[in-house]
Every structure is written in C-alpha cells, then in structure tokens.
Amino acid sequence: MHSAAGIEDRLFTPARIRLTVWYVSVLAAVLIVLGTALYLVVRNQLLNSVDNGLKVVAARASAQWVDSGTIRLDELSTGPYVVNYTSALQGGVTREPNGMIHVDWDSMLAADQSGHDLRTSGASGDRRRVYSVLVNGVTGSALIQVSRSLEPEHEALSKLLVGLFVGGLLGLVGAALGGWFLAGKSLRPVRVAFDRQHAFVADASHELRTPLAVIRANAEFISTEQPENPEAKEILGETDRLSGLVDALLAVARGDEATPALALVVDVAELTEGAVASFQPLAAEKGLELTVATAEKLEVPGDADQLRQVLVILLDNAVRYSAEGGRIHVQARANGSSALVTVHDTGIGIPADQLERIFERFYRGDEARNRQSGGAGLGLAIAQELVNRHHGKLTAESTEGAGSTFTVQLPRST
Ligand code: ADP
C-alpha cells in the first residue's frame, strides 16, 4: 500500500510534536500566572500578619507609656516580638536598660521625625521587620520600637516557591505525556484520511496511464496516416500534457514515501553540465541564450536521477517563463560545506506576493499567462520535495518583470 512509516514520520510526528508543545506551553503559561498570583497573595498575607502583630504589641506598649509613663516589658506578652524604647531622643539619648537588642536607630530617628516608621532591615538571612512609633505621655515622649525576624516567613515562602516549581514541573511532564497521547489520538483520523487520499492519487494515476498510452498510440497512428490532420496533432499534444501531469502526480504520491539514496556520491558539476546541454536545443528554439559555469568537481551524497529531475524542472521553468532574447545562466559552485546550483533567468519574474506560494502543489502563477504555458503547478513542489530529501534547500528570488533566480543548496560530501 501507499502508506508507509516514512510518511508518518515526516508529516505526522512534527504535527504531533507541535500539538504537544502547544498543549504544554499553554499549561505552562497558566501555571506561571497562577503560581505567581498564589505566591504573591501568600507573601502579602504573611507579611501583613507580621505588621499587624508589630502594631498590636506597639499599641500595648504605647498604652502602658501613656498610662504610667513607663513600660514594663514583663507585663507585655511580646511573643516573638522584641520591644525597645527610649525616651527624649532629642534631649540626649537615654537608652532604657531593657537589653536593647536589635535596635534599628535609623527607624527610631525616622519615627522621631514623622511620628512612626515601618521598614524592613537587614540582609538576606537576617531580615527584620521594624515598627517605631513616637508616643506622648504624661512624663514626656518616648520612642517605642517593636521588631521581629522575618526569617520564618522567608523560609516558608522559599519552601512554597520550591513546592510550586517542583509541582509545576511534574504537572508539565504529565501534561507532555498526556498531550502526546491525545495528539496522537486526535491525529489518527487525519492520518487515515491522508493515507486514503494518497492511495487514491497513486492508484488513479496508475490506472490513467494505460488508457492514455492507448489514446496516444491511436493519435500517433492517425497522424502518421494523415500528417496534415490538425486534430490528431492536438490530441497528441494534449495527451502528452496529460501524461506529464499523471507522471507528476504519481511522483508526488510516491515521493512521500521514497527514502533518498544518500549512500551514493553525485558530481553536481557534471550533472549540471549534462542537464544544461540537454536543454540547449529547446533554448535555441525559443531564441534564448543558455550558459553554464561549473566548478571542477562538486560532490554531494545523493541520487543522480532525482537531482537531475530538480535541474530539469528549474531549467524547464526558466525556459518556459522567458521571452525570446532572454538569457539563462546556470552556475554550480561550492560555498563552504554546501554545493550551490543557481538557475538565473531574465524572464517574466514572480510577483513578491506569489513568491512563497510557488512551491505549493498545484500552485500556478497568474492564471492567464500560464494557461498557454502548460504546466500543472507541480514542478516546484516536486523539486523542493526532492531537494529536501537530500537535506538541502531550494529557494527562489525574483523581481517581477526582471527575472528569477532559483538556488539549490545541498550539503557536500565530506
Ligand atoms: P508550473 O510551471 O507547472 O506552473 P511550477 O511548480 O513549476 O508549476 O511553478 C509554479 C509557478 O511558479 C508557475 O506557475 C509560475 O508562475 C512560477 N514560476 C516558476 N518558475 C518560474 C520562473 N523561472 N520565472 C517565473 N515564474 C516562475
């Protein structure tokens, strides 16, 4: 049959990979947004509750000062909070003998200026949240500072971060596996349809060959019998055109499964010379100047027949889309690790908006001008397929009305 593992690999595996990548990317985006939101909310909550605690303790200490002009730390339930206080900063600092650990004098001074101050101080590993407030009591004013280490919160937050990261990563791995499975499942009907269509094209082309051969033989017979009969000539011409199309269709259908014979070495220079030589009569007939310049030897791994077909397609187009008096120049040369074959013509050129479509199957430029020139729009599709199979690239540059250059780039033998 016409379906083969090769088609699957080249057409469906990339599609399956793309679908999976999409699936995972979307999930990753959702997880990043959700994870970031969750982290920020939790962080906010934690830090807020620390601030609230600071303020509650500070309020209790302030109340003591206002009521009694003194602060009795042992009567404050401070928990993890450290309370420091000092009275009359401006008039000579008096530090109350309450241990005075973890005092942030910058914060004290700031509170002395503005009434209160809330800040985070210290470097990573020793961060503290500090709240200082200026209180006026009967015995004068005092600065009360309540602070607390933020390390437990930071530790919890970094654990949360690691958890989110590991969880997210596991989720993504799961999604990739699931996505791969689902993509395979959803592509299955497409693959079946593709295989059927493929088989149909190949079978139909094959079946068409015999009747075409019979028609051609009959038309040839008539035209030998009646050399002046214009209908017979017309039939012959059209039959040849149709045979060409059928061959091309068959080539496309088969092309999808054929594996390239890259074990052999082809001299592209020699191949180019040969292909150009075979086009000289046709070019002369159309009044075109066809020249060739090749390197000494230009070896690439590949299939000579297939590569010759590529050149024939490009030369055929160059001749077909050039007007009398035009020039076609073919060049084969080495460029680093590549072999480059360029077919340059001074023909009608290709409009910029069509340039990327010319490699599509059955795509033909401007309908009107192509109707007389007889192609089916398969030439470049086949050429590109053949070049791809050689791990090469077929590219086109063109200026409408001035001409086109097609470049075949192939990796050279090492
Ligand atoms: P076909 O020549 O049978 O129409 P191809 O696949 O070979 O099909 O080419 C596709 C289209 O690209 C052509 O219809 C034509 O419009 C354009 N084209 C290809 N080669 C040339 C060229 N050398 N100069 C101008 N147009 C070109």
Side-chain angles (χ1 to χ4, degrees):
M1 272 306 284
H2 306 279
S3 76
I7 309 177
E8 211 160 296
D9 287 351
R10 284 188 306 110
L11 275 168
F12 291 102
T13 307
R16 198 173 177 184
I17 291 173
R18 252 201 318 276
L19 277 173
T20 310
V21 168
W22 265 108
Y23 190 58
V24 172
S25 310
V26 169
L27 190 71
V30 170
L31 285 180
I32 286 171
V33 171
L34 279 181
T36 310
L38 181 69
Y39 179 81
L40 289 179
V41 166
V42 170
R43 187 187 130 105
N44 233 355
Q45 287 286 342
L46 281 178
L47 297 185
N48 270 346
S49 73
V50 171
D51 285 357
N52 287 338
L54 288 173
K55 283 175 186 162
V56 166
V57 175
R60 271 196 239 121
S62 302
Q64 277 190 353
W65 180 265
V66 171
D67 289 350
S68 59
T70 171
I71 293 174
R72 293 170 307 280
L73 288 176
D74 45 348
E75 285 176 21
L76 286 173
S77 60
T78 54
Y81 297 92
V82 173
V83 180
N84 289 295
Y85 62 95
T86 177
S87 53
L89 246 190
Q90 297 107 323
V93 179
T94 50
R95 300 182 186 185
E96 302 296 331
N98 69 329
M100 282 291 175
I101 49 167
H102 298 303
V103 186
D104 185 323
W105 287 106
D106 289 339
S107 174
M108 284 284 204
L109 289 169
D112 193 31
Q113 296 287 317
S114 63
H116 54 83
D117 176 75
L118 182 64
R119 64 174 71 193
T120 304
S121 67
S124 170
D126 184 30
R127 269 163 300 198
R128 300 185 70 77
R129 192 73 170 154
V130 182
Y131 179 60
S132 309
V133 62
L134 180 65
V135 190
N136 293 309
V138 279
T139 53
S141 61
L143 282 163
I144 300 174
Q145 184 174 82
V146 185
S147 71
R148 213 203 94 170
S149 168
L150 280 179
E151 286 315 311
E153 279 71 24
H154 280 289
E155 209 168 291
L157 284 173
S158 38
K159 272 188 191 147
L160 174 67
L161 206 58
V162 170
L164 284 174
F165 195 73
V166 171
L169 222 53
L170 287 177
L172 287 181
V173 170
L177 294 175
W180 180 253
F181 171 74
L182 286 179
K185 222 172 139 89
S186 60
L187 280 173
R188 207 163 296 145
V190 183
R191 201 156 67 201
V192 169
F194 179 86
D195 285 352
R196 266 199 215 129
Q197 182 247 13
H198 223 251
F200 171 74
V201 173
D203 292 344
S205 318
H206 202 73
E207 294 301 321
L208 283 170
R209 280 183 150 181
T210 320
L212 276 175
V214 175
I215 296 173
R216 195 179 196 287
N218 284 325
E220 220 162 51
F221 175 73
I222 299 173
S223 94
T224 345
E225 293 287 296
Q226 311 162 20
E228 297 309 313
N229 185 334
E231 279 82 14
K233 280 222 169 59
E234 178 89 349
I235 295 175
L236 264 184
E238 288 301 306
T239 315
D240 283 344
R241 192 166 109 66
L242 210 51
S243 301
L245 173 55
V246 166
D247 285 347
L249 277 174
L250 202 58
V252 171
R254 287 209 178 117
D256 285 330
E257 44 196 271
T259 39
L262 294 183
L264 299 173
V265 168
V266 182
D267 181 359
V268 175
E270 194 188 311
L271 196 82
T272 307
E273 299 270 2
V276 169
S278 70
F279 266 84
Q280 287 295 0
L282 193 65
E285 195 181 302
K286 272 203 77 175
L288 300 169
E289 185 193 339
L290 174 57
T291 53
V292 60
T294 56
E296 275 292 282
K297 202 171 196 160
L298 203 52
E299 293 191 318
V300 303
D303 181 317
D305 285 336
Q306 293 186 0
L307 292 178
R308 187 177 302 111
Q309 202 186 342
V310 171
L311 292 179
V312 166
I313 288 168
L314 296 182
L315 283 164
D316 187 52
N317 279 345
V319 169
R320 195 184 298 176
Y321 299 111
S322 292
E324 192 173 342
R327 286 189 312 278
I328 300 170
H329 183 62
V330 185
Q331 213 182 7
R333 65 194 164 87
N335 181 12
S337 60
S338 300
L340 292 184
V341 183
T342 52
V343 178
H344 173 73
D345 66 57
T346 56
I348 59 172
I350 304 161
D353 59 327
Q354 293 180 10
L355 204 53
E356 55 192 61
R357 301 202 56 202
I358 56 173
F359 295 104
E360 292 171 14
R361 287 173 186 177
F362 296 109
Y363 182 78
R364 311 203 56 213
D366 196 322
E367 289 286 330
R369 77 177 186 220
N370 278 311
R371 211 163 282 142
Q372 325 135 6
S373 46
L378 281 173
L380 289 178
I382 294 174
Q384 189 170 54
E385 169 64 34
L386 294 175
V387 172
N388 285 348
R389 245 189 262 168
H390 286 79
H391 307 302
K393 269 204 301 231
L394 173 60
T395 49
E397 284 163 66
S398 188
T399 311
E400 194 177 2
S404 317
T405 306
F406 285 83
T407 306
V408 181
Q409 185 189 343
L410 295 165
R412 278 164 74 193
S413 303
T414 41

PDB file of all heavy atoms in Angstrom, residues 313 317-318 320-321 345 348-350 354 358 363-366 369-370 375-381 404 406, ligand 1:
ATOM      1  N   ILE A 313      13.451  20.485 -13.879  1.00  0.00           N
ATOM      2  CA  ILE A 313      12.271  21.288 -13.521  1.00  0.00           C
ATOM      3  C   ILE A 313      12.627  22.778 -13.533  1.00  0.00           C
ATOM      4  O   ILE A 313      11.911  23.610 -14.101  1.00  0.00           O
ATOM      5  CB  ILE A 313      11.738  20.860 -12.125  1.00  0.00           C
ATOM      6  CG1 ILE A 313      11.086  19.484 -12.223  1.00  0.00           C
ATOM      7  CG2 ILE A 313      10.748  21.892 -11.584  1.00  0.00           C
ATOM      8  CD1 ILE A 313      10.787  18.826 -10.873  1.00  0.00           C
ATOM      9  N   ASN A 317      11.255  25.557 -16.246  1.00  0.00           N
ATOM     10  CA  ASN A 317      10.569  26.793 -15.860  1.00  0.00           C
ATOM     11  C   ASN A 317      11.276  28.013 -16.427  1.00  0.00           C
ATOM     12  O   ASN A 317      10.635  28.937 -16.922  1.00  0.00           O
ATOM     13  CB  ASN A 317      10.502  26.914 -14.337  1.00  0.00           C
ATOM     14  CG  ASN A 317       9.373  26.083 -13.754  1.00  0.00           C
ATOM     15  OD1 ASN A 317       8.481  25.653 -14.478  1.00  0.00           O
ATOM     16  ND2 ASN A 317       9.429  25.849 -12.462  1.00  0.00           N
ATOM     17  N   ALA A 318      12.618  28.016 -16.335  1.00  0.00           N
ATOM     18  CA  ALA A 318      13.387  29.169 -16.815  1.00  0.00           C
ATOM     19  C   ALA A 318      13.106  29.399 -18.298  1.00  0.00           C
ATOM     20  O   ALA A 318      12.911  30.531 -18.747  1.00  0.00           O
ATOM     21  CB  ALA A 318      14.876  28.951 -16.574  1.00  0.00           C
ATOM     22  N   ARG A 320      10.455  28.221 -19.954  1.00  0.00           N
ATOM     23  CA  ARG A 320       9.026  28.463 -20.148  1.00  0.00           C
ATOM     24  C   ARG A 320       8.637  29.896 -19.814  1.00  0.00           C
ATOM     25  O   ARG A 320       7.793  30.497 -20.453  1.00  0.00           O
ATOM     26  CB  ARG A 320       8.244  27.492 -19.263  1.00  0.00           C
ATOM     27  CG  ARG A 320       6.807  27.424 -19.654  1.00  0.00           C
ATOM     28  CD  ARG A 320       6.042  26.546 -18.724  1.00  0.00           C
ATOM     29  NE  ARG A 320       6.518  25.155 -18.744  1.00  0.00           N
ATOM     30  CZ  ARG A 320       6.025  24.221 -17.936  1.00  0.00           C
ATOM     31  NH1 ARG A 320       5.099  24.535 -17.068  1.00  0.00           N
ATOM     32  NH2 ARG A 320       6.473  22.995 -17.999  1.00  0.00           N
ATOM     33  N   TYR A 321       9.246  30.437 -18.754  1.00  0.00           N
ATOM     34  CA  TYR A 321       8.841  31.772 -18.323  1.00  0.00           C
ATOM     35  C   TYR A 321       9.794  32.868 -18.789  1.00  0.00           C
ATOM     36  O   TYR A 321       9.937  33.897 -18.139  1.00  0.00           O
ATOM     37  CB  TYR A 321       8.663  31.785 -16.798  1.00  0.00           C
ATOM     38  CG  TYR A 321       7.596  30.807 -16.350  1.00  0.00           C
ATOM     39  CD1 TYR A 321       7.915  29.664 -15.634  1.00  0.00           C
ATOM     40  CD2 TYR A 321       6.256  31.019 -16.689  1.00  0.00           C
ATOM     41  CE1 TYR A 321       6.931  28.756 -15.255  1.00  0.00           C
ATOM     42  CE2 TYR A 321       5.271  30.115 -16.317  1.00  0.00           C
ATOM     43  CZ  TYR A 321       5.610  28.986 -15.610  1.00  0.00           C
ATOM     44  OH  TYR A 321       4.632  28.088 -15.237  1.00  0.00           O
ATOM     45  N   ASP A 345      17.356  33.432 -14.590  1.00  0.00           N
ATOM     46  CA  ASP A 345      16.787  33.789 -15.897  1.00  0.00           C
ATOM     47  C   ASP A 345      16.394  35.258 -15.920  1.00  0.00           C
ATOM     48  O   ASP A 345      16.259  35.886 -14.870  1.00  0.00           O
ATOM     49  CB  ASP A 345      15.592  32.888 -16.245  1.00  0.00           C
ATOM     50  CG  ASP A 345      14.405  33.088 -15.312  1.00  0.00           C
ATOM     51  OD1 ASP A 345      13.925  34.235 -15.216  1.00  0.00           O
ATOM     52  OD2 ASP A 345      13.952  32.098 -14.695  1.00  0.00           O
ATOM     53  N   ILE A 348      10.009  36.568 -16.977  1.00  0.00           N
ATOM     54  CA  ILE A 348       8.924  37.445 -16.532  1.00  0.00           C
ATOM     55  C   ILE A 348       8.938  37.701 -15.030  1.00  0.00           C
ATOM     56  O   ILE A 348       8.302  38.616 -14.541  1.00  0.00           O
ATOM     57  CB  ILE A 348       7.543  36.861 -16.923  1.00  0.00           C
ATOM     58  CG1 ILE A 348       7.348  35.474 -16.289  1.00  0.00           C
ATOM     59  CG2 ILE A 348       7.406  36.749 -18.436  1.00  0.00           C
ATOM     60  CD1 ILE A 348       5.946  34.932 -16.480  1.00  0.00           C
ATOM     61  N   GLY A 349       9.662  36.860 -14.294  1.00  0.00           N
ATOM     62  CA  GLY A 349       9.737  37.056 -12.842  1.00  0.00           C
ATOM     63  C   GLY A 349       8.463  36.651 -12.135  1.00  0.00           C
ATOM     64  O   GLY A 349       7.475  36.263 -12.761  1.00  0.00           O
ATOM     65  N   ILE A 350       8.504  36.741 -10.813  1.00  0.00           N
ATOM     66  CA  ILE A 350       7.367  36.307  -9.991  1.00  0.00           C
ATOM     67  C   ILE A 350       7.009  37.449  -9.037  1.00  0.00           C
ATOM     68  O   ILE A 350       7.884  37.967  -8.354  1.00  0.00           O
ATOM     69  CB  ILE A 350       7.749  35.052  -9.174  1.00  0.00           C
ATOM     70  CG1 ILE A 350       8.232  33.944 -10.120  1.00  0.00           C
ATOM     71  CG2 ILE A 350       6.580  34.564  -8.335  1.00  0.00           C
ATOM     72  CD1 ILE A 350       9.044  32.876  -9.453  1.00  0.00           C
ATOM     73  N   GLN A 354       3.492  36.216  -4.614  1.00  0.00           N
ATOM     74  CA  GLN A 354       3.321  34.824  -5.043  1.00  0.00           C
ATOM     75  C   GLN A 354       4.542  33.983  -4.734  1.00  0.00           C
ATOM     76  O   GLN A 354       4.496  32.758  -4.769  1.00  0.00           O
ATOM     77  CB  GLN A 354       3.080  34.772  -6.559  1.00  0.00           C
ATOM     78  CG  GLN A 354       1.752  35.384  -6.955  1.00  0.00           C
ATOM     79  CD  GLN A 354       1.543  35.328  -8.461  1.00  0.00           C
ATOM     80  OE1 GLN A 354       2.294  34.680  -9.179  1.00  0.00           O
ATOM     81  NE2 GLN A 354       0.530  36.035  -8.929  1.00  0.00           N
ATOM     82  N   ILE A 358       4.780  29.563  -4.680  1.00  0.00           N
ATOM     83  CA  ILE A 358       5.090  28.802  -5.899  1.00  0.00           C
ATOM     84  C   ILE A 358       5.526  27.373  -5.622  1.00  0.00           C
ATOM     85  O   ILE A 358       5.461  26.531  -6.488  1.00  0.00           O
ATOM     86  CB  ILE A 358       6.169  29.508  -6.764  1.00  0.00           C
ATOM     87  CG1 ILE A 358       7.424  29.742  -5.945  1.00  0.00           C
ATOM     88  CG2 ILE A 358       5.632  30.813  -7.327  1.00  0.00           C
ATOM     89  CD1 ILE A 358       8.574  30.267  -6.791  1.00  0.00           C
ATOM     90  N   TYR A 363       0.095  24.976  -7.252  1.00  0.00           N
ATOM     91  CA  TYR A 363       0.029  26.430  -7.315  1.00  0.00           C
ATOM     92  C   TYR A 363       0.633  26.900  -8.626  1.00  0.00           C
ATOM     93  O   TYR A 363       1.716  26.496  -9.019  1.00  0.00           O
ATOM     94  CB  TYR A 363       0.786  27.093  -6.150  1.00  0.00           C
ATOM     95  CG  TYR A 363       0.646  28.585  -6.243  1.00  0.00           C
ATOM     96  CD1 TYR A 363      -0.526  29.207  -5.826  1.00  0.00           C
ATOM     97  CD2 TYR A 363       1.638  29.347  -6.848  1.00  0.00           C
ATOM     98  CE1 TYR A 363      -0.701  30.565  -5.991  1.00  0.00           C
ATOM     99  CE2 TYR A 363       1.469  30.716  -7.012  1.00  0.00           C
ATOM    100  CZ  TYR A 363       0.299  31.315  -6.578  1.00  0.00           C
ATOM    101  OH  TYR A 363       0.123  32.654  -6.751  1.00  0.00           O
ATOM    102  N   ARG A 364      -0.077  27.770  -9.286  1.00  0.00           N
ATOM    103  CA  ARG A 364       0.434  28.343 -10.519  1.00  0.00           C
ATOM    104  C   ARG A 364       0.267  29.835 -10.430  1.00  0.00           C
ATOM    105  O   ARG A 364      -0.712  30.332  -9.891  1.00  0.00           O
ATOM    106  CB  ARG A 364      -0.335  27.814 -11.728  1.00  0.00           C
ATOM    107  CG  ARG A 364      -0.474  26.308 -11.718  1.00  0.00           C
ATOM    108  CD  ARG A 364      -0.709  25.793 -13.102  1.00  0.00           C
ATOM    109  NE  ARG A 364       0.354  26.226 -13.971  1.00  0.00           N
ATOM    110  CZ  ARG A 364       0.198  26.514 -15.248  1.00  0.00           C
ATOM    111  NH1 ARG A 364      -0.967  26.421 -15.799  1.00  0.00           N
ATOM    112  NH2 ARG A 364       1.225  26.902 -15.972  1.00  0.00           N
ATOM    113  N   GLY A 365       1.234  30.535 -10.996  1.00  0.00           N
ATOM    114  CA  GLY A 365       1.164  31.997 -11.000  1.00  0.00           C
ATOM    115  C   GLY A 365      -0.009  32.437 -11.845  1.00  0.00           C
ATOM    116  O   GLY A 365      -0.832  31.621 -12.266  1.00  0.00           O
ATOM    117  N   ASP A 366      -0.055  33.704 -12.062  1.00  0.00           N
ATOM    118  CA  ASP A 366      -1.064  34.353 -12.893  1.00  0.00           C
ATOM    119  C   ASP A 366      -1.724  33.403 -13.905  1.00  0.00           C
ATOM    120  O   ASP A 366      -1.120  32.975 -14.874  1.00  0.00           O
ATOM    121  CB  ASP A 366      -0.350  35.483 -13.648  1.00  0.00           C
ATOM    122  CG  ASP A 366      -1.361  36.442 -14.214  1.00  0.00           C
ATOM    123  OD1 ASP A 366      -2.418  35.952 -14.659  1.00  0.00           O
ATOM    124  OD2 ASP A 366      -1.083  37.643 -14.204  1.00  0.00           O
ATOM    125  N   ARG A 369      -1.549  33.954 -17.916  1.00  0.00           N
ATOM    126  CA  ARG A 369      -0.298  33.779 -18.655  1.00  0.00           C
ATOM    127  C   ARG A 369       0.183  32.334 -18.598  1.00  0.00           C
ATOM    128  O   ARG A 369       0.989  31.904 -19.384  1.00  0.00           O
ATOM    129  CB  ARG A 369       0.764  34.717 -18.122  1.00  0.00           C
ATOM    130  CG  ARG A 369       1.358  34.244 -16.836  1.00  0.00           C
ATOM    131  CD  ARG A 369       2.454  35.146 -16.370  1.00  0.00           C
ATOM    132  NE  ARG A 369       3.061  34.543 -15.208  1.00  0.00           N
ATOM    133  CZ  ARG A 369       3.455  35.191 -14.144  1.00  0.00           C
ATOM    134  NH1 ARG A 369       3.342  36.494 -14.104  1.00  0.00           N
ATOM    135  NH2 ARG A 369       4.008  34.571 -13.134  1.00  0.00           N
ATOM    136  N   ASN A 370      -0.366  31.586 -17.631  1.00  0.00           N
ATOM    137  CA  ASN A 370       0.104  30.210 -17.504  1.00  0.00           C
ATOM    138  C   ASN A 370      -0.689  29.228 -18.352  1.00  0.00           C
ATOM    139  O   ASN A 370      -0.233  28.135 -18.604  1.00  0.00           O
ATOM    140  CB  ASN A 370       0.035  29.778 -16.054  1.00  0.00           C
ATOM    141  CG  ASN A 370       1.254  30.260 -15.300  1.00  0.00           C
ATOM    142  OD1 ASN A 370       2.375  30.060 -15.780  1.00  0.00           O
ATOM    143  ND2 ASN A 370       1.051  30.911 -14.193  1.00  0.00           N
ATOM    144  N   GLY A 375       1.984  24.108 -17.690  1.00  0.00           N
ATOM    145  CA  GLY A 375       2.369  23.325 -16.516  1.00  0.00           C
ATOM    146  C   GLY A 375       1.167  22.996 -15.654  1.00  0.00           C
ATOM    147  O   GLY A 375       0.071  23.460 -15.907  1.00  0.00           O
ATOM    148  N   ALA A 376       1.382  22.177 -14.639  1.00  0.00           N
ATOM    149  CA  ALA A 376       0.283  21.823 -13.745  1.00  0.00           C
ATOM    150  C   ALA A 376       0.493  22.411 -12.361  1.00  0.00           C
ATOM    151  O   ALA A 376      -0.298  22.204 -11.462  1.00  0.00           O
ATOM    152  CB  ALA A 376       0.168  20.306 -13.653  1.00  0.00           C
ATOM    153  N   GLY A 377       1.603  23.109 -12.188  1.00  0.00           N
ATOM    154  CA  GLY A 377       1.869  23.693 -10.878  1.00  0.00           C
ATOM    155  C   GLY A 377       2.480  22.698  -9.908  1.00  0.00           C
ATOM    156  O   GLY A 377       2.486  22.902  -8.705  1.00  0.00           O
ATOM    157  N   LEU A 378       3.017  21.593 -10.456  1.00  0.00           N
ATOM    158  CA  LEU A 378       3.598  20.573  -9.575  1.00  0.00           C
ATOM    159  C   LEU A 378       5.119  20.584  -9.595  1.00  0.00           C
ATOM    160  O   LEU A 378       5.772  20.046  -8.711  1.00  0.00           O
ATOM    161  CB  LEU A 378       3.119  19.178 -10.011  1.00  0.00           C
ATOM    162  CG  LEU A 378       1.717  18.804  -9.574  1.00  0.00           C
ATOM    163  CD1 LEU A 378       1.299  17.489 -10.210  1.00  0.00           C
ATOM    164  CD2 LEU A 378       1.645  18.696  -8.064  1.00  0.00           C
ATOM    165  N   GLY A 379       5.675  21.199 -10.645  1.00  0.00           N
ATOM    166  CA  GLY A 379       7.131  21.136 -10.849  1.00  0.00           C
ATOM    167  C   GLY A 379       7.923  21.528  -9.615  1.00  0.00           C
ATOM    168  O   GLY A 379       8.734  20.750  -9.110  1.00  0.00           O
ATOM    169  N   LEU A 380       7.686  22.739  -9.121  1.00  0.00           N
ATOM    170  CA  LEU A 380       8.490  23.232  -8.000  1.00  0.00           C
ATOM    171  C   LEU A 380       8.206  22.453  -6.723  1.00  0.00           C
ATOM    172  O   LEU A 380       9.096  22.266  -5.903  1.00  0.00           O
ATOM    173  CB  LEU A 380       8.238  24.720  -7.786  1.00  0.00           C
ATOM    174  CG  LEU A 380       8.829  25.623  -8.874  1.00  0.00           C
ATOM    175  CD1 LEU A 380       8.481  27.078  -8.617  1.00  0.00           C
ATOM    176  CD2 LEU A 380      10.340  25.454  -8.958  1.00  0.00           C
ATOM    177  N   ALA A 381       6.953  21.970  -6.568  1.00  0.00           N
ATOM    178  CA  ALA A 381       6.632  21.173  -5.382  1.00  0.00           C
ATOM    179  C   ALA A 381       7.462  19.895  -5.382  1.00  0.00           C
ATOM    180  O   ALA A 381       8.019  19.492  -4.357  1.00  0.00           O
ATOM    181  CB  ALA A 381       5.139  20.840  -5.363  1.00  0.00           C
ATOM    182  N   SER A 404      14.247  35.726 -12.499  1.00  0.00           N
ATOM    183  CA  SER A 404      14.205  34.943 -11.261  1.00  0.00           C
ATOM    184  C   SER A 404      15.509  34.182 -11.091  1.00  0.00           C
ATOM    185  O   SER A 404      16.182  33.858 -12.067  1.00  0.00           O
ATOM    186  CB  SER A 404      13.082  33.912 -11.316  1.00  0.00           C
ATOM    187  OG  SER A 404      11.915  34.478 -11.863  1.00  0.00           O
ATOM    188  N   PHE A 406      16.676  30.712  -8.983  1.00  0.00           N
ATOM    189  CA  PHE A 406      16.381  29.593  -8.095  1.00  0.00           C
ATOM    190  C   PHE A 406      17.702  29.012  -7.625  1.00  0.00           C
ATOM    191  O   PHE A 406      18.611  28.807  -8.426  1.00  0.00           O
ATOM    192  CB  PHE A 406      15.545  28.529  -8.823  1.00  0.00           C
ATOM    193  CG  PHE A 406      14.114  28.955  -8.992  1.00  0.00           C
ATOM    194  CD1 PHE A 406      13.732  29.788 -10.037  1.00  0.00           C
ATOM    195  CD2 PHE A 406      13.146  28.537  -8.082  1.00  0.00           C
ATOM    196  CE1 PHE A 406      12.405  30.195 -10.173  1.00  0.00           C
ATOM    197  CE2 PHE A 406      11.829  28.941  -8.213  1.00  0.00           C
ATOM    198  CZ  PHE A 406      11.457  29.774  -9.256  1.00  0.00           C
TER     199      PHE A 406
HETATM  200  P1  ADP B   1       4.196  25.140 -13.449  1.00  0.00           P
HETATM  201  O1  ADP B   1       5.432  25.679 -14.061  1.00  0.00           O
HETATM  202  O2  ADP B   1       3.827  23.803 -13.942  1.00  0.00           O
HETATM  203  O3  ADP B   1       3.065  26.099 -13.415  1.00  0.00           O
HETATM  204  P2  ADP B   1       5.774  25.050 -11.071  1.00  0.00           P
HETATM  205  O4  ADP B   1       5.515  24.430  -9.730  1.00  0.00           O
HETATM  206  O5  ADP B   1       6.991  24.624 -11.776  1.00  0.00           O
HETATM  207  O6  ADP B   1       4.499  24.826 -11.923  1.00  0.00           O
HETATM  208  O7  ADP B   1       5.809  26.586 -10.855  1.00  0.00           O
HETATM  209  C1  ADP B   1       4.812  27.245 -10.110  1.00  0.00           C
HETATM  210  C2  ADP B   1       4.647  28.662 -10.558  1.00  0.00           C
HETATM  211  O8  ADP B   1       5.824  29.407 -10.270  1.00  0.00           O
HETATM  212  C3  ADP B   1       4.477  28.823 -12.057  1.00  0.00           C
HETATM  213  O9  ADP B   1       3.130  28.703 -12.418  1.00  0.00           O
HETATM  214  C4  ADP B   1       5.000  30.214 -12.306  1.00  0.00           C
HETATM  215  O10 ADP B   1       4.006  31.179 -12.069  1.00  0.00           O
HETATM  216  C5  ADP B   1       6.066  30.379 -11.252  1.00  0.00           C
HETATM  217  N1  ADP B   1       7.436  30.154 -11.775  1.00  0.00           N
HETATM  218  C6  ADP B   1       8.208  29.062 -11.621  1.00  0.00           C
HETATM  219  N2  ADP B   1       9.412  29.238 -12.190  1.00  0.00           N
HETATM  220  C7  ADP B   1       9.443  30.474 -12.702  1.00  0.00           C
HETATM  221  C8  ADP B   1      10.419  31.266 -13.425  1.00  0.00           C
HETATM  222  N3  ADP B   1      11.646  30.784 -13.708  1.00  0.00           N
HETATM  223  N4  ADP B   1      10.066  32.509 -13.788  1.00  0.00           N
HETATM  224  C9  ADP B   1       8.837  32.998 -13.496  1.00  0.00           C
HETATM  225  N5  ADP B   1       7.875  32.320 -12.842  1.00  0.00           N
HETATM  226  C10 ADP B   1       8.167  31.082 -12.438  1.00  0.00           C
END
